[in-house]
């Protein structure tokens, strides 16, 4: 039997699906737990707070097992291994899986040439994440393709990465979200949503990708039906892209853009509540 072929569809911030996704986060204020690196933690927390979620970040004693089970959504940024351990991450993942908490894997710097690090990411990817979110090079490497990353930066294009992302979605059972000049969100059953927009300064702000993973986890926390997760993940990307566009207009550079980006997310949230 041949797999069903779906035509890709496009989603922007004014799609009917976007407002409800953001309103659910504000209405329910989900507790979102993250394991990320100290470089990205502040922006991730601020993004989640701007959207109305309640974040906790870090691997203090007892947190991974306790918060992994208690959270509405979990996200694990592999670069958090800078300041957490593999045991911390697997404890949080195991607790989330046992409690039925959806979780997001961000395979930062996968394929950049650190074999021991890549092996840990592969072990986490085998633990049934609901979503895998990364740039083109990371997704290609995790899918088993050629390693093309330069540190944490991608050297591959979205066009190159989509076939790998589709294969990874099928093999892992996870939704795969690839960030780039336009974002692609891919489901295990072959559906594909393309999100245009955004701004190049997102790549000049440390932690913007990690914060997106946290916001996806918040969206999953308020999406009770797994069949609706693809739309939620795409809606979060579309809102993220629109906030970047809003922030870029008055910004003088990446620093003011980062501040304006958090403000824009809060403004979009307020509009969604109207």
């Amino acid at each position: 039997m041949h797999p069903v072929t779906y035509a890709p569809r496009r989603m922007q911030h004014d799609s009917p699906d976007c407002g409800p996704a953001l309103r659910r986060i504000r209405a329910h204020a989900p507790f979102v737990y993250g394991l990320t690196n100290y470089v990205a933690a502040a922006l991730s927390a601020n993004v989640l707070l701007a959207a109305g979620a309640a974040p906790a970040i870090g691997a203090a004693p007892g947190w991974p097992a306790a918060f992994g089970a208690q959270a509405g959504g979990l996200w694990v940024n592999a670069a958090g291994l800078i300041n957490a351990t593999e045991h911390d991450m697997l404890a949080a993942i195991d607790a989330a899986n046992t409690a039925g908490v959806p979780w997001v894997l961000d395979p930062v710097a996968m394929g950049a040439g650190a074999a021991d690090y890549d092996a840990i990411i592969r072990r986490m990817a085998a633990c049934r994440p609901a979503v895998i979110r990364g740039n083109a090079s990371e997704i290609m490497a995790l899918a088993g393709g050629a390693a093309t990353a330069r540190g944490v930066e991608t050297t591959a294009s979205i066009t190159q990465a989509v076939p790998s992302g589709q294969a990874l979605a099928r093999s892992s059972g996870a939704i795969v979200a690839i960030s780039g000049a336009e974002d692609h969100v891919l489901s295990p059953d072959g559906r594909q949503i393309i999100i245009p927009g955004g701004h190049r300064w997102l790549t000049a702000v440390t932690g913007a990708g990690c914060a997106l993973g946290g916001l996806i986890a918040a969206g999953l926390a308020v999406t009770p039906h797994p069949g609706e997760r693809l739309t939620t993940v795409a809606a979060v990307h579309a809102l993220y892209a629109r906030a970047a566009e809003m922030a870029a207009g008055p910004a003088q550079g990446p620093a003011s853009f980062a501040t304006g980006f958090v403000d824009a997310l809060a403004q979009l949230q307020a509009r969604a509540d109207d």
Side-chain angles (χ1 to χ4, degrees), residues 163-189:
S164 295
Q166 291 169 326
L168 181 60
R170 288 193 299 269
S171 65
S172 66
I175 293 167
V176 173
I178 314 173
S179 296
E182 60 179 15
D183 299 338
H184 287 241
V185 181
L186 313 166
S187 72
D189 65 3

Side-chain angles (χ1 to χ4, degrees), residues 40-68:
L43 181 61
S44 298
N46 288 337
V47 162
L48 284 162
L49 289 167
I57 298 174
W63 282 22
F67 290 175

Side-chain angles (χ1 to χ4, degrees), residues 78-101:
L81 289 164
I82 294 171
N83 43 256
T85 66
E86 179 183 4
H87 173 78
D88 292 329
M89 293 187 170
L90 292 176
I93 290 167
D94 182 63
N97 283 338
T98 299
V101 174

Side-chain angles (χ1 to χ4, degrees), residues 18-192:
C18 287
L22 200 54
R23 283 194 294 272
R24 287 195 300 268
I25 296 173
R26 176 68 72 183
H28 296 283
F31 172 37
V32 183
Y33 178 47
L35 289 170
T36 187
N37 64 80
Y38 57 81
V39 178
L43 181 61
S44 298
N46 288 337
V47 162
L48 284 162
L49 289 167
I57 298 174
W63 282 22
F67 290 175
Q70 297 169 13
L74 166 71
W75 93 100
V76 177
N77 178 330
L81 289 164
I82 294 171
N83 43 256
T85 66
E86 179 183 4
H87 173 78
D88 292 329
M89 293 187 170
L90 292 176
I93 290 167
D94 182 63
N97 283 338
T98 299
V101 174
W103 67 280
V104 179
L105 174 63
D106 190 338
V108 173
M110 177 74 193
D116 291 346
Y117 174 82
D118 288 357
I120 295 173
I121 295 176
R122 292 195 185 281
R123 286 194 284 274
M124 292 192 291
C127 294
R128 306 188 310 280
V131 177
I132 300 172
R133 189 225 71 80
N135 65 34
S137 290
E138 291 159 355
I139 295 301
M140 289 173 66
L142 188 55
T148 62
R150 183 182 59 208
V152 300
E153 303 299 330
T154 187
T155 59
S157 70
I158 284 284
T159 302
Q160 292 173 305
V162 165
S164 295
Q166 291 169 326
L168 181 60
R170 288 193 299 269
S171 65
S172 66
I175 293 167
V176 173
I178 314 173
S179 296
E182 60 179 15
D183 299 338
H184 287 241
V185 181
L186 313 166
S187 72
D189 65 3
R191 288 175 292 162
Q192 179 177 353

